[in-house]
């Protein structure tokens, strides 16, 4: 058969942003021929962990949300439906999932200053994009770091048990379920 087969240029991952993160982080992988002549993406792993959600996948850009995984640095591996494999060695560092370990005090009302302690709170990011208590954005952020957050809480139209939710500029998020009580 004449001209029945064509060798394609080997796909290449040219950039990854961000290059590290934890569960919930949105990652953009850009390059050339990422799908290796295929019509779709079969899988993508970052540091050994299968992506939690694929937002979009083209030959030039693949956008995914990271699933929970072990803290490690490793390869990014893309497999397309043509069977082509595109790899970037040591292309991503997965952090342990963030966790809130305590709130002090864990009871309060409008204006209460709450200290939230934990680990990997920023999820590899540099800033929080939202912080809520019982679904309400906090009034003020007094201090923020990867292991300590001090906030002044807003009012709530109802009293009772509440969740604390954090999200960062990498897309990483943490929810501490039923950890605070509105008095």
């Amino acid at each position: 058969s004449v001209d029945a087969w064509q060798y394609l240029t080997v796909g290449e991952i040219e950039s990854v942003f961000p290059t590290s993160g934890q569960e919930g982080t949105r990652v953009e992988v850009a390059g050339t021929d990422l799908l290796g002549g295929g019509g779709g993406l079969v899988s993508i792993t970052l540091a050994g962990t299968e992506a939690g959600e694929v937002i979009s996948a083209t030959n030039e850009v693949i956008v995914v949300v990271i699933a929970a995984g072990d803290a490690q640095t490793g390869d990014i591996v893309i497999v397309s439906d043509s069977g082509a494999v595109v790899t970037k060695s040591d292309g991503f560092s997965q952090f342990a999932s963030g966790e809130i370990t305590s709130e002090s005090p864990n009871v309060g009302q409008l204006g209460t200053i709450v200290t939230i302690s934990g680990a990997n709170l920023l999820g590899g990011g540099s800033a929080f994009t939202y912080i809520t208590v019982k679904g309400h954005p906090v009034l003020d952020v007094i201090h923020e770091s990867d292991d300590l957050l001090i906030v002044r809480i807003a009012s709530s139209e109802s009293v009772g048990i509440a969740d604390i939710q954090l999200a960062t500029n990498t897309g990483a998020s943490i929810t501490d379920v039923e950890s605070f009580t509105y008095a």
Side-chain angles (χ1 to χ4, degrees), residues 5-180:
W5 179 258
Q6 177 183 6
Y7 278 100
L8 301 174
T9 305
V10 175
E12 181 182 0
I13 297 171
E14 297 170 349
S15 67
V16 179
F17 183 78
T19 57
S20 59
Q22 69 182 26
E23 178 180 10
T25 302
R26 184 180 170 130
V27 177
E28 181 178 292
V29 178
T32 56
D33 299 315
L34 297 178
L35 299 179
L41 180 69
V42 171
S43 69
I44 179 170
T45 57
L46 299 108
T49 302
E50 183 84 26
E53 176 186 0
V54 176
I55 298 191
S56 62
T58 68
N59 264 324
E60 295 80 30
V61 179
I62 298 173
V63 180
V64 297
V65 175
I66 301 172
D70 295 330
Q72 62 185 347
T73 296
D75 300 346
I76 297 174
V77 180
I78 300 167
V79 179
S80 75
D81 60 5
S82 70
V85 178
V86 178
T87 303
K88 181 166 184 73
S89 296
D90 291 329
F92 193 78
S93 294
Q94 172 106 15
F95 300 136
S97 294
E99 70 173 322
I100 296 171
T101 55
S102 68
E103 300 82 15
S104 179
N106 63 356
V107 176
Q109 59 187 342
L110 171 66
T112 301
I113 295 176
V114 178
T115 300
I116 300 168
S117 300
N120 300 319
L121 297 178
L122 283 167
S126 59
F128 291 97
T129 55
Y130 75 79
I131 302 164
T132 63
V133 179
K134 201 167 188 174
H136 303 288
V138 296
L139 294 176
D140 297 307
V141 176
I142 298 165
H143 174 81
E144 62 181 75
S145 69
D146 207 32
D147 59 358
L148 184 68
L149 180 60
I150 301 173
V151 298
R152 185 182 321 273
I153 65 170
S155 64
S156 175
E157 55 279 344
S158 63
V159 297
I161 297 173
D163 297 346
I164 295 177
Q165 295 179 306
L166 314 175
T168 72
N169 59 348
T170 65
S173 61
I174 301 170
T175 301
D176 200 10
V177 179
E178 298 181 352
S179 59
F180 188 82

